[in-house]
């Protein structure tokens, strides 16, 4: 399957925004599939990660460490996220077609970099939706689009930086989304 990383990123950003818009006011402090992190922290991590993935394009580092996300939100978390996603999408767009774009994981073609950013946004959208009881599953089409980039980078990130939990085994007949979530160390049947 040929994947358009730019379309995949737009779809993953839409999914993340939809999940964040659906967070009930009382649910920001709830636990998530990201062990030890609240919904607020996953939101902050996802936002900061999108900035970190383009910091070598923009020359602007995230305000704080994406892997030490603050357990607090600004007055308008949806608006803040939307602004970050718009800016990061524009940064990727500025490099569309480039065969070598600098990223924290090393240089890669822009289409691959956008797919990596999409994987991050899509997985954390699922974390937030699942943690807050939203009927917003990871779509099979989105999961299928993220399979190749997950195969390329998840083990590298897991082994080099310890940032993904070990992969989980899924039962025979699991969906593409369930397999992708399990590969990133998430229990596809996680519940609050």
């Amino acid at each position: 399957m040929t994947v358009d990383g730019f379309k995949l990123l737009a779809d993953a950003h839409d999914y993340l925004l939809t999940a964040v818009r659906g967070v009930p006011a009382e649910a920001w402090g709830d636990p998530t599939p990201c062990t030890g992190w609240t919904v607020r922290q996953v939101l902050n991590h996802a936002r900061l990660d999108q900035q970190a993935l383009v910091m070598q394009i923009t020359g602007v580092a995230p305000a704080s460490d994406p892997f030490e996300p603050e357990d607090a939100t600004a007055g308008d978390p949806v608006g803040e996220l939307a602004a970050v996603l718009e800016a990061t999408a524009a940064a990727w767009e500025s490099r569309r077609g480039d065969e070598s774009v600098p990223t924290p994981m090393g240089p890669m073609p822009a289409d691959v970099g956008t797919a990596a950013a999409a994987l991050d946004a899509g997985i954390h959208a699922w974390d937030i939706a699942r943690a807050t009881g939203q009927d917003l599953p990871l779509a099979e089409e989105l999961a299928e689009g993220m399979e190749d980039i997950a195969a390329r980078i998840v083990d590298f990130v897991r082994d080099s930086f310890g940032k993904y939990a070990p992969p989980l085994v899924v039962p025979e007949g699991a969906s593409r989304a369930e397999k992708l979530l399990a590969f990133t160390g998430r229990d596809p049947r996680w519940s609050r």
Side-chain angles (χ1 to χ4, degrees):
M1 171 184 177
T2 302
V3 175
D4 176 348
F6 286 87
K7 180 180 181 331
L8 191 66
L9 182 62
D11 292 346
H13 279 181
D14 286 347
Y15 181 36
L16 180 57
L17 269 173
T18 300
V20 172
R21 284 185 184 113
V23 175
E26 70 281 1
W28 287 106
D30 287 358
T32 69
C34 292
T35 305
W37 283 2
T38 66
V39 173
R40 277 186 296 264
Q41 287 173 296
V42 172
L43 165 64
N44 287 330
H45 167 74
R47 179 179 50 78
L48 293 165
D49 249 7
Q50 292 298 302
Q51 292 173 318
L53 286 166
V54 296
M55 70 182 177
Q56 290 165 309
I57 299 171
T58 63
V60 179
S64 59
D65 183 347
F67 296 101
E68 296 292 332
E70 188 178 5
D71 194 6
T73 53
D76 180 11
V78 174
E80 184 179 11
L81 176 64
V84 165
L85 297 182
E86 183 179 330
T88 58
W92 285 115
E93 188 61 43
S94 75
R95 299 301 295 264
R96 185 185 280 269
D98 287 5
E99 285 302 312
S100 183
V101 177
T103 77
M105 295 173 287
M108 57 182 66
D111 207 46
V112 175
T114 54
L119 174 66
D120 192 83
I123 293 296
H124 293 310
W126 180 85
D127 291 332
I128 290 169
R130 192 74 180 189
T132 57
Q134 298 180 60
D135 184 16
L136 198 59
L138 176 60
E140 287 291 288
E141 185 178 347
L142 189 57
E144 181 180 8
M146 294 189 288
E147 288 171 346
D148 181 59
I149 192 63
R152 289 186 190 198
I153 68 169
V154 169
D155 282 335
F156 168 76
V157 172
R158 183 184 285 128
D159 296 344
S160 300
F161 307 108
K163 298 305 181 188
Y164 282 102
L168 303 176
V169 176
V170 290
E172 190 100 11
S175 70
R176 287 187 121 113
E178 289 170 330
K179 289 176 185 174
L180 180 69
L181 292 164
F183 182 60
T184 66
R186 287 160 172 78
D187 177 356
R189 291 177 171 71
W190 185 93
S191 61
R192 304 186 283 161

